[in-house]
Amino acid sequence: MTLFLIESVVLSAIGGILGTVLGIAASYGVSYFLDLPYIFPFYLIVVGFLIALVIGLVAGLYPANKASKLDPVEALRTQ
């Protein structure tokens, strides 16, 4: 179960980092082309990243719980 949870958190962390970078780049681009001030508080970056981690953890709980109850031989046979 721990392996599945670690995998889901790592994948969501990668997605959170990519989403943060793309969001910052998009907001910088919009502020450049529309002559708006570039305001991107650090706490918004942290909140967005934490939300991505929580979503990854919650989304990984069900499959991790289900997979941890399976016999390894049966799990590999159905794949």
Side-chain angles (χ1 to χ4, degrees), residues 13-46:
I14 292 170
I17 290 169
L18 288 175
T20 301
V21 169
L22 288 175
I24 290 172
S27 67
Y28 181 74
V30 167
S31 70
Y32 178 76
F33 288 114
L34 297 180
D35 291 329
L36 295 172
Y38 178 72
I39 300 172
F40 209 93
F42 182 72
Y43 75 91
L44 289 179
I45 296 171
V46 173

Side-chain angles (χ1 to χ4, degrees), residues 8-9 12-13 46-61:
S8 68
V9 169
S12 65
V46 173
V47 168
F49 186 72
L50 289 176
I51 288 173
L53 288 179
V54 169
I55 288 173
L57 182 67
V58 170
L61 276 175

